[in-house]
Amino acid sequence: MFYYIVRRLLSVVVMLFLITGTTYLLFFAGPEDPARYTCARNCTPAILEGNRKALGYDQPVYVQYGKFISGLFVGRDFPDNAQLRADHPEQVVHCPAPCLGYSPTQNRTINTIVASAWPVSISIAIGAFAIWMILGVGGGVIAALNRGRWPDRIIVGSALIGFSLPTFFIGLVLLTFPAIKWGWLPIPHYVSFFENPFDWAHNLVLPWLTLACIFAASYVRLTRAYMIETMSEDYIRTAQAKGQTRWRIILRHGLRAALTPIVTAAGLDLGGLLGGAIITESVFSMHGLGWTAVNSVTVMDLPVIVSMVLIVSTFIVIANMLVDIAYGFIDPRVKLVG
Amino acid sequence: MSETTLEEARDGAVAIVGRTPWQITRSRLRRDHVTLVAMGFAVFFVLLAAMAPLLTAWKALDPYTSHTNLVGGLGSLPLGFWGGVSGQHWMGVEPGTGRDLFSRVVNGLTVSLLVAVCAALLSVTLGTVIGLISGTAGGKIDWLFSRVIDFVLSFPQTLMLIALSTIVIDILKAALHVERTPASMVFMILVMGFFGWPSFARIIRGQVLSLKEREFVEAARSLGAGRWRIYFKELLPHLWAPILVYSTLIMPQNIATEAALGFLGVGIQAPTPSFGSILNDSVHYANADPAYFIFPGVTLFLVVLSFNLVGDGFRDALDPKADRQ
Amino acid sequence: MKRRTFVAGVAGSAGLALSAAACSSSTSTTPGASASAAAAVKGGTLNILMSTQVEHWDPQRVYVGVDIATGNRMFTRTLVSWTQTTSDTEQAKLVADLATDTGKVSADGKTWTFTLKDGIKWQDGKDVTAEDVKYGISRTFAVDVITGGPNYAIAFLDIPSDADGSSSYKGPYAKTGQDLYDKAVTVSGKTITFKLKQPVMDFNNTVTMTAFAPFRQDKDQGDKSNYDIFSNGPYKLEGTWTAQKGGSFVRNDQWDPATDTIRKAYPDKITWDESLTAETMYERLIADQGGDQFAITFDQAPVTALSNIESGARGRNSIVASPYTRYLTPNFKSKVMSNDKVREAFALATDRSAYVTAVGGPAVAQPTNSLINPALAAFPNTPLLAGDKGDQAKAKKMLQDAGMTLPVKITVAYRKSDTMDKVFSGLKAAWDAAGFDTQLDGFSAKYYATIQSPAAATKYDAMWAGWGADYPSASTVIPPLLDSRINITSGGSGQDYGWFDDKAVNARIDEINKIADMAAREKAWGDLDKEIVTQKFAVIPLIVDKFVFVHGSKVVGAVVNGTYTGYYDLAHVSVKAS
C-alpha cells in the first residue's frame, strides 16, 4: 500500500511536469509573439520590446519554462532585471515561492489572483457537490428500487431533462427569473463564509443549484444503473434469503457495492470542479478560478491562462490518485499492488 | 426508456435464444416506444440539418436577409406577437436585424451537428484504434497508451478549448487558407475529437481484454492469423455495440459543448449561424424578447434530449448483461 | 480618447456600439436636473457599478474616457479642469483647479504658465508642489514603464527627438536627457512654465488630462504604482484596489473644499464594483432594489436592456450623445483598397441603416459621414454619399467601370460581440450586393493591438475602429488618427490603422496647428475631415452613438457632461438619505 502511494505520487509529479511543459509549448512557442498580447492600443516597438524583456519573452521557450519551474520552488522577481533591481528596487515585484507568475494586465502576481479566486471556486464546488450527491444518489436509489414504477419514471425522466439542458441555459434561467425578475434570491455575489455564513450560503444557492442540476442528473443515472446491477447479484438474494431487512440489504449490501464506481466519478468530478466551474462562474459573475480563466483568455493574459491550466490539471491528477487509493479502502476486492 | 423488469428480461431472454444479437436488439427496440419516438426526432433533426443548405440555396430558408421593417422601437425588438411569429416567420425574427429565426436555427443546427458528428467520428475512430491496439498488444504498448490516456484526461477540456481558440484558429486560418468559419469548425472538431477519444479507448480496451480470451480469437491465432487480421476481422465486429452506443451518447455532449463555447465567445464567424452563436445572443434577451430566447433554447433542448434518449435506448437494447443468456 | 470595452467572457451582446444621434449634447430624461441638484445633501454611500475594468489608475497611464472623468473628480486634481455644470451650454468651459487661473499663454503660443493655489495637500498632509506636477509629467517620457497614457507631453514639449523619432528625454527612471526636460519645464516657487515646440493655443485643454497631473516622486514605484491611488482630491482609497473587483473610497480629510470650486463631494463614501456583466448590472439598475437605489454606472446600457429601460427605469435614465464616432478605415496597403475607385465604391455601398438598427434603433444611433463628432465645434456635418442605406447599384457600376472583376474579394475586421456580429452581417449584405465578396473577421482579444500590427496590413482590406476627442478640439481627432508621421512605425500603423500616408494631408495638419484663432482653426479641421472622407475616402465614418445610462432612484444630480466627457459628472452627484 505504502509503495503504491509513493509510486502514484511520483507519477503525479511526472504528469504535472508533462502538462506544464505541453501547455508552455502550446502557448509560448506559437507563431504569435506573446508580447503582442501585453500591448494595448498605443503599441510602439519600444513598449513591445520593454514588455518582452520584463516578462522574459525574449528568451527561448525552454528558458522561460525553466524559470517558471524554478519560480515554483524559489520564487521570482518581476521584471527579472538585475539592473532595475539595483537602481529602482521599489519598482520590482517579488513573487515568493511557489510563484505561479505575474499578470501584466492585472499588475498582480498570479498567487494573489489565485488566493482571492480559490475560496469562491471551493465554495461553489463543495455546496454543489453536497446537493448533487444527496439528490443524485438518493434519487438513483429510489428509482432503482422502484424500477419500472412511476417514481422511477419521474426521477429518470427529470434526470434526463436535466442532463439535456446546457449548464449556461439553466444558469441563465435561474439568474433571470428567481433572482432578477422575481427577487426571491439575491443576485449572487461572493461573501466569505467567515464573514457571514448565512450570506455566503444565500448568495451561492443559485450557482449551487445550477451545477447540482447537471451533476445530479448524471448521478441519478449512474446510481440507478449500478444499484439495479448489484441488487440482482446473487449475494443480495442470499441476504434476502437470510431474512435481513430490506433497508439493511439496500444500505449494507446494495449501495455499498454500487458505491465504488460512484465514488470514482464523484472524486473526479469534484477534483475538476475545485479548479473552477467555468460556465457557472461566468453566468453568475462569481470570480472564481473558472471565471478568472475565461477572463484571462478574453484579454489573452498568457501567464494566467497557463497557471489556470496547471491548477485545474493538478486537481484532476490528484483527484485521480486519491480515487485510486480510496478504491482500496471501499472495495475489498481491489488490491493495490506496489 | 426501456423499463423491462428483471423478470421480463429473463423471460424474454429465454424466448429468444438462438437469435442473432441484431435480431435481439431490433425486437427490443421495437418494444421501446420512447426510444422509437426519440429516434424519429433525431432522424428528423439530422435530415433537416442535412437539407438546410439545399433549402437555403432554393430560398426556402433565408437566414441572412435583414427585415428591418419587422423590428422597431428602442432596442430594435421584433414587432408583433411573440417575437414576430407569422406565417412566413415560424419562430419570429431576430431582434436587431429582423432575420428569420427559423432559418437561422435550422442552419445553426447544420453547423452544430456537422461539428458534433465529425468530432464524434474522430473520437470514436481514435478511441477504437487505440483501444484495440492497446488491448491486443498489451505490455509496453498498453502501458504507454494508458499513460497517454491519463495525460490527455488530465487537461481541462473546456478551458483548453477556449484558451487555445484564439491562437489555434488563427494558425488554422493561415495554414488552410480558409475563413474564420471553417477554421473555427475544424478547431472545434479537432479539439473536441481529441479530448473525446481517451475515455472511449478505455472502454474498447476493456472489451478487447475480455474478448481476447474467447475461443474464436484463440482459434484465429492458432490458425496463424496476423495481428491486423485479428484486430479488424475478428475483434472489430464484436465491438460495434459499444461503438454505436458511445457515438450516440457523445453526440449530444458535443452539441452542448459547441453551444457552451458559443456562450463563452468561441464560435463560428457571423453571419453563419450556429446554436452557440444564436444562444449566446438570445440568452440576454430572456427578459426583453422571451420568444427569441425560448425558440432556439427549446430546439437545442429537444435535439440534445432526443440523442440522449436514443443513446440510452441503444444501450439498454444492447445490454451485454442480457446478451444471449 | 479611448473607450473601454467588455472583457468578461460572457459579456457578448455588447453595448460596445450603442450609437448616437443628435448633435445636441444632453437630452437627459432625468426630471429637471436643476431641481434635483437643489435637493443635494451631504452624506451617504454612492455605489458605482461597472462591467468594464479599469486598466490603470496611475494618472500618467489613464487614457480611457471614464477613468479620466471619474479619477479627476475623486482623487486626481489637474491644473485646469472642465467645469461642473448641469447646463448644456457651459459644458466645454474650463475652470482653474490646482492652478489659480486657466493658464497664461505667450503671444506666440509657445509658452504656457500656471501658478498653483495655496492650501492644496496630498492625502498625507504634504503640500502639492509645482515640482510634483513637473515630476508627474516627466513620467510620460518613461515609455517602456508608464505605458497606455496619452503622449501629448512628448508631442508638445520642446524637447528634441532622437534619430529614431523617440524623445531624447527617457523619463525620470533612466534620467537620460534630464537637462532637456528641465529646460522645457521650469519651476519657480508655485509657478510652472511649459515651453512648447509649436504653438498650441488650447494647451490648457490638454492639461485637463490626468497625464498632466502631479505625482509624488517618493510614492513612485513605476509599473507597480498602476493601481496605487494617492489622492489630492476629496476622496481617497480605503485599503487597496483590486483589479477585476474594485475598491472603495472615503473622504480625504486633507482636501480643503475652499480650494476647489468644482467638486461638491456630497457622498461620504463611494464604492466601485467592476466585477459585473453589463446585462446583470442593467437588470439590477432597472430593478432598483436595496443598495442599487444608490447606484450609478458609467457603462452604457447593452442593447438587450434598452426596451426594459424605457418601461422600467422611467425618469432614471439618460440618453446622451457620446463623444465617439465609429468608422471604417480602408487599408491603403491592400491591393484592392489602394484603388481610389474601389474605396469610393466601398464607401458608397456602405449601409449605415443596418448599423443603426442592430445597435438599437434611431433613438440611440445616427448615421454620420464625418470623423469629427457632432459635439465638437469643428463638426463639418458632411452629407452622406447616398443616404442611410447607401447606393449598391451605383457602387457596382463604379467597380465595373474601374475594370475590376466582380466579385471583389475583401476581408473586413471588427471587434466581435453579438451586436457587432449583427452590424457587420448587415454591412456585408450591402457590400456583397454592390459586387464585393466580403469575408468578415470578428475577434475581441486584443483587437486594436492586432489591427495595428504589421501583420494586419496584409490580412485585412478594411478595419472597424472608434474614437472620441480627448478634449473638445478636433486637434485631438484628425492628427492622432491620420497623421502618418506620428503613427506609422516599423512596429505597426499606430492609430492610423489603414496605413493612410498622404503628404498633402500631413502638411495641412501642420498649417492648421498654427492657426491662432480657435474658431478658424476648428473650421479648418472640419474642412480637412470633409476632404479626407469625400475625396480621399481614407475613412468611412459610420455612426455616432448615444449613451444610455441608468441610475438608482435615490441618486440625485446625475447629469451627463455631453461635451467634455460623455459621462455623468461625479462632481455634483449626491444620494438621498435612505
Side-chain angles (χ1 to χ4, degrees):
Chain A
M1 187 74 185
F2 175 74
Y3 288 108
Y4 177 78
I5 293 176
V6 169
R7 215 185 61 179
R8 280 299 267 131
L9 270 174
L10 267 175
S11 77
V12 163
V13 172
V14 172
M15 192 67 96
L16 288 178
F17 264 107
L18 281 173
I19 288 167
T20 44
T22 316
T23 317
Y24 241 82
L25 267 179
L26 280 172
F27 288 102
F28 287 99
E32 198 71 37
D33 175 8
R36 190 92 226 162
Y37 295 123
T38 66
C39 207
R41 192 161 175 169
N42 281 318
C43 196
T44 65
I47 298 174
L48 212 54
E49 195 50 43
N51 287 352
R52 191 175 292 131
K53 282 222 178 86
L55 295 163
Y57 294 162
D58 52 337
Q59 284 150 336
V61 181
Y62 63 89
V63 176
Q64 293 181 45
Y65 179 64
K67 284 198 171 172
F68 173 75
I69 296 294
S70 77
L72 285 175
F73 295 101
V74 297
R76 293 173 79 176
D77 284 339
F78 294 94
D80 190 6
N81 178 339
Q83 186 65 41
L84 189 72
R85 211 161 21 230
D87 294 351
H88 294 281
E90 77 281 359
Q91 292 191 18
V92 176
V93 180
H94 180 66
C95 170
C99 177
L100 288 166
Y102 182 78
S103 159
T105 57
Q106 291 192 43
N107 282 85
R108 294 200 278 168
T109 61
I110 295 169
N111 299 31
T112 53
I113 296 174
V114 171
S116 70
W118 205 35
V120 181
S121 288
I122 293 184
S123 302
I124 294 178
I126 290 189
F129 181 75
I131 297 177
W132 97 58
M133 286 308 273
I134 294 169
L135 287 182
V137 175
V141 171
I142 293 171
L145 296 179
N146 292 288
R147 194 178 177 197
R149 291 196 290 272
W150 61 268
D152 181 31
R153 281 168 196 273
I154 290 177
I155 292 172
V156 170
S158 33
L160 219 100
I161 291 173
F163 193 65
S164 301
L165 281 167
T167 319
F168 68 93
F169 197 84
I170 298 179
L172 278 159
V173 168
L174 287 180
L175 176 66
T176 310
F177 295 99
I180 292 169
K181 265 215 147 145
W182 304 327
W184 296 347
L185 284 162
I187 294 167
H189 72 108
Y190 181 70
V191 178
S192 166
F193 178 80
F194 303 104
E195 207 174 289
N196 186 337
F198 176 76
D199 274 0
W200 172 80
H202 200 208
N203 272 292
L204 284 166
V205 168
L206 291 177
W208 284 346
L209 284 179
T210 307
L211 268 182
C213 204
I214 305 293
F215 281 99
S218 53
Y219 278 75
V220 163
R221 291 153 61 96
L222 203 68
T223 314
R224 179 179 176 275
Y226 286 122
M227 276 302 279
I228 288 173
E229 201 181 312
T230 39
M231 292 303 280
S232 63
E233 298 273 355
D234 291 338
Y235 66 92
I236 299 281
R237 284 164 192 263
T238 314
Q240 277 168 337
K242 272 166 53 184
Q244 291 187 350
T245 60
R246 181 174 154 83
W247 280 105
R248 195 182 152 81
I249 296 169
I250 293 166
L251 295 176
R252 281 260 346 204
H253 301 286
L255 194 58
R256 181 149 184 232
L259 214 55
T260 317
I262 294 169
V263 165
T264 313
L268 297 181
D269 283 337
L270 184 64
L273 269 188
L274 285 174
I278 289 186
I279 292 171
T280 308
E281 287 176 17
S282 297
V283 168
F284 294 102
S285 311
M286 299 293 281
H287 288 203
L289 294 169
W291 183 90
T292 308
V294 174
N295 204 46
S296 33
V297 170
T298 321
V299 298
M300 279 316 275
D301 193 343
L302 288 183
V304 180
I305 298 175
V306 172
S307 302
M308 290 300 142
V309 173
L310 174 64
I311 289 170
V312 183
S313 303
T314 310
F315 279 119
I316 297 175
V317 172
I318 289 177
N320 256 315
M321 181 186 80
L322 292 179
V323 162
D324 282 356
I325 295 171
Y327 242 76
F329 290 104
I330 301 173
D331 193 338
R333 287 173 299 181
V334 175
K335 246 202 182 130
L336 304 172
V337 243
Chain B
M1 283 161 283
S2 78
E3 304 307 344
T4 41
T5 62
L6 218 58
E7 285 71 23
E8 280 169 3
R10 287 257 148 70
D11 298 347
V14 171
I16 55 176
V17 163
R19 288 201 251 172
T20 65
W22 181 231
Q23 285 172 320
I24 300 171
T25 308
R26 272 220 320 236
S27 82
R28 278 185 193 158
L29 277 178
R30 214 171 294 137
R31 280 181 297 163
D32 185 355
H33 300 293
V34 179
T35 305
L36 285 180
V37 171
M39 222 188 290
F41 267 94
V43 169
F44 168 73
F45 285 128
V46 170
L47 282 180
L48 196 61
M51 299 260 292
L54 274 178
L55 292 173
T56 307
W58 294 336
K59 303 278 176 208
L61 289 176
D62 182 3
Y64 300 122
T65 307
S66 297
H67 304 283
T68 42
N69 56 321
L70 297 180
V71 295
L74 194 56
S76 298
L77 295 182
L79 305 167
F81 173 74
W82 254 77
V85 171
S86 68
Q88 272 171 329
H89 303 290
W90 298 349
M91 290 186 176
V93 295
E94 183 188 53
T97 59
R99 291 182 290 194
D100 180 46
L101 186 56
F102 179 73
S103 300
R104 292 191 64 77
V105 167
V106 173
N107 273 274
L109 188 63
T110 311
V111 172
S112 304
L113 281 183
L114 190 61
V115 169
V117 168
C118 292
L121 279 178
L122 183 61
S123 356
V124 169
T125 315
L126 276 175
T128 310
V129 171
I130 292 175
L132 257 178
I133 297 176
S134 192
T136 346
K140 276 185 184 152
I141 296 178
D142 185 28
W143 181 87
L144 186 72
F145 276 125
S146 297
R147 295 291 82 77
V148 172
I149 288 172
D150 287 345
F151 176 67
V152 174
L153 284 179
S154 301
F155 278 100
Q157 179 186 352
T158 320
L159 179 54
M160 292 305 278
L161 263 163
I162 53 168
L164 286 175
S165 62
T166 317
I167 298 173
V168 177
I169 290 177
D170 279 340
I171 296 176
L172 285 172
K173 257 173 67 188
L176 305 174
H177 300 286
V178 288
E179 286 178 58
R180 192 168 281 270
T181 296
S184 307
M185 287 173 73
V186 171
F187 168 76
M188 287 195 276
I189 291 167
L190 287 180
V191 181
M192 274 153 70
F194 181 74
F195 284 110
W197 69 263
S199 41
F200 183 56
R202 276 188 180 163
I203 298 173
I204 291 292
R205 177 179 168 270
Q207 295 274 324
V208 171
L209 285 182
S210 71
L211 283 173
K212 228 160 76 166
E213 309 309 324
R214 300 269 283 268
E215 307 84 349
F216 67 94
V217 180
E218 290 292 331
R221 200 172 286 141
S222 59
L223 286 173
R227 176 180 283 183
W228 294 102
R229 199 190 143 76
I230 293 178
Y231 286 164
F232 291 97
K233 283 272 172 168
E234 306 297 336
L235 289 176
L236 201 54
H238 290 270
L239 296 171
W240 65 273
I243 291 176
L244 183 64
V245 171
Y246 188 78
S247 317
T248 335
L249 285 177
I250 203 174
M251 276 286 295
Q253 278 180 37
N254 286 352
I255 297 171
T257 306
E258 193 274 335
L261 285 177
F263 171 73
L264 293 170
V266 181
I268 303 298
Q269 171 62 51
T272 310
S274 78
F275 259 124
S277 61
I278 296 173
L279 282 167
N280 182 28
D281 186 37
S282 74
V283 287
H284 298 304
Y285 283 94
N287 230 337
D289 181 10
Y292 180 48
F293 169 63
I294 289 169
F295 281 125
V298 168
T299 314
L300 173 70
F301 168 67
L302 287 178
V303 172
V304 175
L305 181 65
S306 60
F307 277 97
N308 273 331
L309 281 169
V310 172
D312 278 6
F314 279 171
R315 192 178 50 195
D316 290 348
L318 293 163
D319 189 355
K321 282 269 161 179
D323 196 10
R324 290 203 263 182
Q325 278 188 352
Chain C
M1 150 172 71
K2 295 198 292 190
R3 211 68 200 283
R4 193 166 55 221
T5 47
F6 299 92
V7 276
V10 277
S13 72
L16 306 164
L18 266 196
S19 336
C23 342
S24 85
S25 46
S26 175
T27 46
S28 177
T29 54
T30 317
S34 48
S36 47
V41 284
K42 262 192 186 306
T45 301
L46 175 72
N47 300 317
I48 297 177
L49 305 183
M50 295 296 281
S51 60
T52 58
Q53 294 154 11
V54 177
E55 284 166 45
H56 313 284
W57 272 134
D58 181 328
Q60 269 72 39
R61 301 178 71 174
V62 171
Y63 201 175
V64 172
V66 189
D67 306 346
I68 297 177
T70 51
N72 178 289
R73 279 356 190 185
M74 289 195 287
F75 44 77
T76 308
R77 295 179 65 177
T78 42
L79 291 169
V80 178
S81 190
W82 61 96
T83 184
Q84 71 85 13
T85 175
T86 51
S87 141
D88 278 1
T89 51
E90 289 192 334
Q91 291 178 341
K93 204 177 121 190
L94 289 183
V95 285
D97 190 359
L98 290 176
T100 52
D101 55 33
T102 56
K104 290 190 179 65
V105 61
S106 64
D108 65 355
K110 285 185 167 180
T111 308
W112 278 85
T113 308
F114 300 86
T115 306
L116 262 61
K117 284 178 192 159
D118 292 322
I120 296 175
K121 290 184 166 64
W122 291 102
Q123 68 181 54
D124 63 355
K126 290 189 181 156
D127 279 339
V128 173
T129 66
E131 284 292 348
D132 292 337
V133 179
K134 181 179 172 183
Y135 182 78
I137 299 168
S138 77
R139 299 171 78 240
T140 296
F141 289 83
V143 290
D144 53 340
V145 182
I146 305 302
T147 58
N151 52 13
Y152 287 108
I154 302 172
F156 290 164
L157 290 176
D158 188 16
I159 297 169
S161 298
D162 288 346
D164 64 352
S166 67
S167 174
S168 301
Y169 175 47
K170 304 295 180 199
Y173 313 126
K175 292 211 161 64
T176 318
Q178 187 68 40
D179 54 323
L180 300 168
Y181 181 71
D182 290 340
K183 254 186 261 166
V185 182
T186 51
V187 167
S188 146
K190 288 197 150 304
T191 302
I192 184 162
T193 305
F194 299 98
K195 291 199 178 62
L196 310 181
K197 278 180 196 151
Q198 62 194 48
V200 181
M201 304 314 293
D202 51 9
F203 186 70
N204 51 357
N205 256 312
T206 315
V207 300
T208 61
M209 303 194 79
T210 55
F212 289 83
F215 201 100
R216 266 263 294 279
Q217 185 164 7
D218 60 324
K219 297 287 170 192
D220 191 357
Q221 300 192 309
D223 186 50
K224 259 167 88 180
S225 298
N226 195 26
Y227 290 119
D228 293 348
I229 293 170
F230 194 61
S231 173
N232 53 35
Y235 297 96
K236 63 181 177 186
L237 187 64
E238 184 185 44
T240 54
W241 178 269
T242 311
Q244 302 182 348
K245 286 209 168 89
S248 50
F249 299 91
V250 290
R251 286 196 184 279
N252 170 16
D253 54 8
Q254 297 298 321
W255 171 76
D256 180 1
T259 64
D260 196 331
T261 57
I262 302 166
R263 298 164 188 83
K264 302 290 177 204
Y266 292 123
D268 285 337
K269 190 172 180 182
I270 298 176
T271 68
W272 185 303
D273 179 357
E274 61 171 18
S275 70
L276 306 162
T277 64
E279 286 79 13
T280 313
M281 185 175 87
Y282 267 89
E283 302 279 15
R284 278 174 57 174
L285 284 164
I286 295 166
D288 197 38
Q289 300 292 317
D292 296 339
Q293 295 178 336
F294 304 93
I296 195 169
T297 184
F298 299 92
D299 284 326
Q300 74 276 25
V303 62
T304 52
L306 290 179
S307 66
N308 293 328
I309 289 172
E310 206 177 20
S311 53
R314 213 170 272 280
R316 295 190 287 119
N317 65 62
S318 314
I319 303 183
V320 293
S322 86
Y324 300 95
T325 301
R326 324 260 148 236
Y327 62 96
L328 281 165
T329 56
N331 177 7
F332 281 74
K333 289 203 169 179
S334 122
K335 208 170 157 197
V336 284
M337 284 298 173
S338 55
N339 181 330
D340 292 351
K341 283 290 159 198
V342 174
R343 284 202 310 282
E344 187 175 355
F346 184 64
L348 193 61
T350 301
D351 177 6
R352 292 169 178 83
S353 73
Y355 204 141
V356 169
T357 311
V359 296
V364 288
Q366 182 172 295
T368 186
N369 204 25
S370 311
L371 187 55
I372 295 171
N373 184 282
L376 302 189
F379 177 58
N381 200 5
T382 317
L384 293 162
L385 291 174
D388 291 359
K389 284 189 169 296
D391 189 338
Q392 288 74 33
K394 200 172 153 196
K396 192 170 195 169
K397 179 141 193 326
M398 195 175 281
L399 284 179
Q400 282 161 340
D401 291 349
M404 304 295 295
T405 4
L406 302 189
V408 179
K409 227 176 157 181
I410 53 169
T411 306
V412 181
Y414 65 95
R415 190 167 54 200
K416 187 179 168 60
S417 71
D418 289 333
T419 307
M420 292 303 280
D421 280 346
K422 292 180 185 171
V423 166
F424 274 83
S425 301
L427 291 173
K428 171 184 153 70
W431 290 324
D432 288 356
F436 290 96
D437 174 12
T438 316
Q439 295 191 359
L440 298 176
D441 195 355
F443 53 94
S444 55
K446 296 285 162 192
Y447 176 74
Y448 284 109
T450 307
I451 61 165
Q452 66 189 187
S453 72
T458 55
K459 260 197 226 164
Y460 303 117
D461 300 292
M463 287 154 271
W464 172 94
W467 185 251
D470 289 336
Y471 44 84
S473 162
S475 62
T476 66
V477 179
I478 304 286
L481 299 184
L482 294 162
D483 185 339
S484 61
R485 296 163 300 177
I486 57 173
N487 282 303
I488 295 175
T489 62
S490 60
S493 57
Q495 302 194 87
D496 182 6
Y497 311 111
W499 303 86
F500 175 65
D501 184 4
D502 189 305
K503 286 207 169 55
V505 168
N506 290 347
R508 185 75 193 125
I509 286 173
D510 288 345
E511 281 166 37
I512 298 174
N513 266 327
K514 285 185 192 123
I515 301 174
D517 178 59
M518 189 171 144
R521 191 176 65 238
E522 293 297 301
K523 171 146 192 333
W525 285 127
D527 292 343
L528 183 58
D529 178 336
K530 193 171 181 175
E531 184 193 329
I532 290 168
V533 168
T534 59
Q535 287 168 35
K536 314 240 177 220
F537 302 100
V539 170
I540 299 161
L542 295 168
I543 57 137
V544 186
D545 312 52
K546 273 198 178 184
F547 282 171
V548 178
F549 297 122
V550 169
H551 60 78
S553 58
K554 301 215 163 136
V555 174
V556 178
V559 179
V560 171
N561 183 327
T563 310
Y564 220 102
T565 62
Y567 298 99
Y568 286 130
D569 193 340
L570 267 185
H572 46 61
V573 171
S574 63
V575 292
K576 287 182 194 163
S578 42

